[in-house]
Amino acid sequence: SNTFYKHILCKKNIISVDSYFENEFYFMDTTLENSLRARSLGYFANLPDYLISLLISYLDLEDVIRLSATSKLMRVFCSEEPLWMFLALKYQGQEAKYLSNWKQTALKNYRTAVLKEFTNLGPTHQAYFQDVDWSEGLPSSRIFIPRLVSDIAISYASKQVLPVPGFFSDFLYRRHYRCHAQICGYVTEVPSIIPCIEAGSLTPAEFLKKYDFLCCPVVLQGLTRFWPSFDWSLENLSREFPTQKFRATKPGIGGQTFMTLPDYMDYMHRQNDEEPLYIFDAQFGSKVPALLEEYRVPQIFHEDYFACLGTENRPPYRWLVIGPSRSGASWHVDPCLTSAWNTLLNGRKRWVLYPPDVTPPGVRVRGVLWQAKSRLGGPVEEEGEMKEGEIEEGDEMEDGFSTSFESPTSLQWLFEIYPMLPPDQRPLEFIQEPGETVFVPGGWWHMVLNLEDSVAVTQNFVSSANAERVVSYLAGGGAPYFSSCADSKHEASKVRRALGRGGDGGINEEVGGE
């Protein structure tokens, strides 16, 4: 980022940061059109707005502060909350404390991190670095220390950004809209063909025969009827476990931190993030063993071959999932092709699914460039070709997230891609209500959007129905599986028979033919 700053930002058309603070000048390139954009952005004026945001996202916090001082318009790009959320998590310690916004949070975390690093250097090196001229970049020393920015620069960066008359960005507007959209009523009007059944009397053998072996998703009611009468609301969880820290993750851009439930509640009620922090904790059972006594693994899911590995060797398989409205999981396939059940205890979720042989429109399998664009809400592209060897085992899921699949955010996909799909290419979808359990067969693509503040428990498992598929995946990796799915009609045929559908309408077998 230092090279980027010196060779791109410090061209002859950009004055120094110190001169800006003293005189409030703006850099100008006379070879570009004499317009607001050209005057304010210099060479960057030739780039689309999403690419400007992408390039800025690769800078360290120090360079973002310096860049924001070059012009009022560049300050707009350098003040976006998704950018500062990423920076805040970068400098976050083991426990997050959300302030008025992510910029204030990041600046406070940065001050704390710099002070800690500076203190650890010792008196001799402290005296040396206090006398260094930082305007020329890093000093020639093997000792790492952040490239400090002055207090006046930090103070300026923390101020509210004023509107820039005459400037409009469709990219920034769309992202702002997604961050503030009220989606509690954003439900599908398409009747769901996913079966929704009363499962209280369903036997494990019947479930295997009718749904698991047929690779058919289903919504199950009545499985929580005999669970303990525990209040799973976030308010009650915060009262019962006020000091325990839970893992909160950021989909898309990555990053994680740990928050107590009272702090997370405070964050939930004050944030306006497109993809809010999402409590997705695989260790909740060891942190709060009492919670394991408040729910029961449904009898129909008791067959789980992964349990043979023991607790030490078994991959993460159960999670406590808590998130506000707008949070959720972008498109993914659960790790190792395991199946999953997800029981919603509070709130409402919108589920969207495609069968294994249909890659969702706008999704790529292991595409690094697209991942970088999607993390900042960049424009959606068509599916790219999957290359052999690019597939890797996914990270934790949910409802979960996988670095193997590059996808727009849930809101971006539903707002920008979903409305453009013809009827025969629409996904399968439904609304999950409190008390309902969703069964997702291994290999199915799914995306989840929380319509309300939600609390759920979810667990992945391997049954006799998907054991062979999981073992093959573990032995050969993901590339052979996804390559075979692109050419296979087998799964779609089984799904149509299970759902009672003919060959016409519904999911088009040709969609996503990578």
Side-chain angles (χ1 to χ4, degrees):
S1 61
N2 189 47
T3 302
F4 176 90
Y5 174 75
K6 293 180 68 175
H7 293 281
I8 301 298
L9 306 183
C10 292
K11 294 285 186 179
K12 60 183 180 181
N13 65 315
I14 303 180
I15 64 175
S16 69
V17 174
D18 293 335
S19 298
Y20 173 81
F21 283 119
E22 293 175 2
N23 304 303
E24 295 189 356
F25 292 149
Y26 305 101
F27 65 83
M28 181 183 301
D29 179 12
T30 56
T31 64
L32 295 177
E33 180 182 358
N34 186 21
S35 64
L36 170 65
R37 186 177 180 88
R39 293 196 309 271
S40 298
L41 299 180
Y43 293 129
F44 282 93
N46 296 313
L47 304 178
D49 290 349
Y50 82 87
L51 189 53
I52 295 176
S53 293
L54 173 63
L55 292 174
I56 293 174
S57 73
Y58 288 107
L59 298 178
D60 292 331
L61 182 143
E62 297 90 350
D63 284 334
V64 172
I65 293 177
R66 294 185 177 100
L67 182 59
S68 69
T70 56
S71 75
K72 290 182 178 179
L73 198 53
M74 188 61 80
R75 189 162 183 249
V76 171
F77 284 96
C78 291
S79 298
E80 287 293 287
E81 276 288 272
L83 169 66
W84 286 95
M85 184 181 193
F86 176 71
L87 294 172
L89 294 180
K90 179 179 180 180
Y91 290 98
Q92 194 71 260
Q94 289 298 306
E95 181 176 358
K97 190 73 174 181
Y98 182 74
L99 302 181
S100 57
N101 53 52
W102 281 115
K103 179 186 282 189
Q104 302 298 331
T105 304
L107 292 175
K108 184 178 185 302
N109 293 342
Y110 171 74
R111 288 175 181 269
T112 302
V114 168
L115 179 61
K116 180 179 179 181
E117 190 72 35
F118 192 71
T119 303
N120 292 338
L121 288 176
T124 302
H125 290 110
Q126 286 179 13
Y128 168 74
F129 280 109
Q130 285 175 340
D131 296 332
V132 169
D133 180 10
W134 295 97
S135 63
E136 298 301 323
L138 282 170
S140 57
S141 171
R142 296 181 180 180
I143 300 176
F144 169 78
I145 185 171
R147 288 168 293 110
L148 304 178
V149 291
S150 64
D151 288 340
I152 185 174
I154 294 178
S155 176
Y156 177 80
S158 65
K159 293 181 180 179
Q160 181 179 1
V161 178
L162 299 177
V164 181
F167 172 70
F168 174 79
S169 169
D170 183 66
F171 164 74
L172 296 180
Y173 168 76
R174 286 173 180 266
R175 186 160 66 181
H176 177 83
Y177 176 80
R178 294 194 298 268
C179 289
H180 294 82
Q182 300 299 316
I183 63 168
C184 59
Y186 190 63
V187 298
T188 175
E189 298 179 356
V190 180
S192 175
I193 65 168
I194 299 293
C196 182
I197 65 170
E198 172 59 44
S201 59
L202 188 67
T203 66
E206 290 174 330
F207 172 76
L208 279 171
K209 179 180 178 180
K210 294 181 178 179
Y211 303 104
D212 205 353
F213 275 115
L214 292 179
C215 198
C216 178
V218 60
V219 179
L220 304 162
Q221 298 176 333
L223 294 181
T224 62
R225 187 171 301 147
F226 301 106
W227 286 16
S229 56
F230 181 72
D231 181 4
W232 283 89
S233 66
L234 186 53
E235 291 77 7
N236 185 62
L237 290 172
S238 299
R239 287 192 298 268
E240 294 286 336
F241 314 106
T243 60
Q244 181 59 58
K245 300 174 185 178
F246 292 89
R247 176 178 177 261
T249 61
K250 173 65 180 76
I253 66 172
Q256 68 174 23
T257 187
F258 293 86
M259 304 179 77
T260 64
L261 291 180
D263 286 344
Y264 185 71
M265 275 190 63
D266 177 66
Y267 160 75
M268 283 176 57
H269 295 151
R270 293 195 291 128
Q271 57 81 31
N272 283 295
D273 298 328
E274 178 182 356
E275 280 190 302
L277 284 178
Y278 203 16
I279 287 185
F280 191 73
D281 200 319
Q283 306 300 325
F284 78 97
S286 58
K287 294 176 181 178
V288 189
L291 282 179
L292 297 180
E293 303 299 323
E294 302 301 336
Y295 77 94
R296 303 285 184 267
V297 176
Q299 183 183 9
I300 58 177
F301 302 125
H302 269 208
E303 184 183 58
D304 186 0
Y305 293 163
F306 260 9
C308 300
L309 299 176
T311 55
E312 294 185 359
N313 298 320
R314 180 174 185 168
Y317 69 100
R318 65 185 176 200
W319 294 269
L320 174 67
V321 184
I322 303 175
S325 173
R326 294 195 308 277
S327 63
S330 57
W331 284 108
H332 66 277
V333 173
D334 279 353
C336 305
L337 306 184
T338 54
S339 299
W341 60 266
N342 181 300
T343 298
L344 183 61
L345 302 163
N346 262 290
R348 302 170 75 221
K349 293 176 180 283
R350 181 174 178 176
W351 288 74
V352 189
L353 302 92
Y354 279 109
D357 65 327
V358 181
T359 302
V363 174
R364 284 189 179 180
V365 182
R366 208 58 184 172
V368 177
L369 177 61
W370 201 96
Q371 180 185 23
K373 293 179 181 178
S374 65
R375 72 176 182 169
L376 290 172
V380 176
E381 300 181 357
E382 297 178 358
E383 303 103 296
E385 294 184 358
M386 179 189 64
K387 297 180 181 179
E388 188 75 16
E390 286 188 333
I391 315 300
E392 296 182 5
E393 179 179 326
D395 289 335
E396 296 172 0
M397 299 289 179
E398 193 218 34
D399 263 355
F401 326 107
S402 170
T403 55
S404 294
F405 314 119
E406 283 69 54
S407 167
T409 67
S410 300
L411 276 179
Q412 188 181 13
W413 196 90
L414 287 170
F415 283 175
E416 299 180 10
I417 296 182
Y418 180 87
M420 306 302 293
L421 298 177
D424 64 339
Q425 295 182 12
R426 291 285 176 92
L428 306 175
E429 51 187 313
F430 59 89
I431 304 299
Q432 184 185 18
E433 304 289 348
E436 293 182 340
T437 299
V438 174
F439 166 66
V440 181
W444 272 71
W445 291 93
H446 52 288
M447 182 183 76
V448 185
L449 178 67
N450 288 325
L451 303 176
E452 303 172 359
D453 297 348
S454 300
V455 179
V457 290
T458 184
Q459 189 161 318
N460 287 53
F461 65 97
V462 180
S463 67
S464 54
N466 68 334
E468 182 178 353
R469 188 165 56 238
V470 171
V471 171
S472 297
Y473 185 96
L474 291 173
Y481 170 78
F482 285 101
S483 297
S484 63
C485 278
D487 301 323
S488 173
K489 311 297 182 182
H490 179 60
E491 298 291 348
S493 299
K494 290 198 300 182
V495 170
R496 287 192 175 87
R497 290 197 301 270
L499 299 179
R501 300 171 62 176
D504 298 329
I507 296 174
N508 189 326
E509 292 181 345
E510 299 302 325
V511 176
E514 294 181 325

